[in-house]
Amino acid sequence: MTNETVVVVVEDDPNIADLVELYLRREGFRPYQADSGERALEVIAQRRPSLVLLDIGLPGEIDGIEVCRRLRRDSQVPIVFLTARDDEVDRVLGLELGADDYVTKPFSPRELVARVKAILRRAGARADAAAPGPIDLGGGIVVDRGRREVTVDGEPVALAAREFDLLAHLAENRGLALSRRQLLDGVWGPDWVGDERTVDVHVRQLRKKLGEGLALTTVWGVGYRLD
Ligand code: CA
């Protein structure tokens, strides 16, 4: 991680935004603030951050969830939601937005920065991994880890970063029943704090996006197996 690591902090509460910015700066990041969804999209397009911290409740037309949706159309930048209430956590998990993590307010800025570093390390490790060859999963589905691309009958399918990682992990462990905990450890990392439902949400997305050809079996009482 260099001093050039840009993080955009999208948060309309100036106290929280300034505090997070302070901690990020202290750790050598280059933070930029945005206090609305509209502003967030501008700043992100301009600064090309390595990570986005994204408040959900924002003034104006575009809330955090909509910002995430728009970013995910063409970007896999890691996104960490800053959520104010449990029902926002449910929305984040339920909407299958492809966020990388979330923290619930009030949060410790120190803990938040630790999470940011962990996510960036994983993203870096993903990018640095030797480019392995494509894996033919049958059913017309090919996953190419080097290109980070999935095709169905030769047509690329847009997956969120975590959906891709989950599929690649299952593909690397074909024929093995993996528990939700094992999948969280392998894909989200052992330091990820969150709910095992997250796995189900991502599996649902994979099934929806890749269709009938995906030989992904629910192993009751355990987790999932890719055949
Ligand atoms: Ca807010």
Side-chain angles (χ1 to χ4, degrees):
M1 205 171 305
T2 70
N3 289 342
E4 300 306 306
T5 304
V6 172
V7 174
V8 170
V9 182
V10 185
E11 170 62 68
D12 61 308
D13 181 331
N15 294 321
I16 296 176
D18 287 347
L19 189 65
V20 170
E21 171 166 346
L22 179 76
Y23 273 77
L24 286 170
R25 229 176 251 297
R26 214 184 258 173
E27 295 290 327
F29 291 97
R30 240 171 56 197
Y32 292 94
Q33 290 190 25
D35 59 4
S36 72
E38 288 82 354
R39 185 80 192 118
L41 292 169
E42 285 170 20
V43 173
I44 290 164
Q46 199 181 359
R47 301 293 177 185
R48 321 285 307 164
S50 298
L51 187 138
V52 177
L53 296 172
L54 187 52
D55 183 30
I56 291 183
L58 294 168
E61 298 290 301
I62 305 175
D63 68 0
I65 290 193
E66 183 58 24
V67 170
C68 180
R69 246 189 219 121
R70 294 195 190 184
L71 288 178
R72 278 289 173 264
R73 284 179 197 159
D74 59 5
S75 163
Q76 298 198 344
V77 63
I79 296 173
V80 177
F81 273 114
L82 310 177
T83 60
R85 302 181 308 272
D86 282 352
D87 60 309
E88 287 188 349
V89 173
D90 288 343
R91 273 181 86 199
V92 167
L93 290 175
L95 284 170
E96 306 171 351
L97 292 164
D100 290 78
D101 205 346
Y102 62 87
V103 296
T104 308
K105 296 177 192 173
F107 52 80
S108 134
R110 192 186 306 275
E111 160 75 13
L112 177 65
V113 171
R115 292 241 205 137
V116 163
K117 286 180 168 176
I119 289 168
L120 288 171
R121 263 198 309 276
R122 277 202 302 279
R126 282 202 300 263
D128 293 346
I135 303 175
D136 188 343
L137 298 181
I141 302 168
V142 175
V143 53
D144 188 329
R145 290 161 298 166
R147 293 169 57 88
R148 287 187 69 79
E149 186 177 79
V150 177
T151 53
V152 176
D153 297 327
E155 291 295 319
V157 177
L159 295 184
R162 276 295 161 76
E163 291 163 10
F164 182 90
D165 292 338
L166 177 60
L167 182 67
H169 189 75
L170 286 161
E172 286 157 9
N173 293 280
R174 263 176 105 175
L176 293 179
L178 298 174
S179 70
R180 288 174 179 79
R181 190 67 249 174
Q182 285 173 320
L183 289 167
L184 283 176
D185 285 351
V187 178
W188 280 259
D191 49 358
W192 190 80
V193 183
D195 200 295
E196 295 190 354
R197 279 180 302 173
T198 305
V199 175
D200 302 324
V201 167
H202 284 72
V203 163
R204 214 154 52 229
Q205 279 300 96
L206 286 177
R207 284 179 167 148
K208 196 163 92 189
K209 290 181 177 177
L210 301 177
E212 297 287 302
L214 184 68
L216 181 58
T217 305
T218 303
V219 184
W220 294 106
V222 183
Y224 297 97
R225 186 186 69 230
L226 186 65
D227 290 310

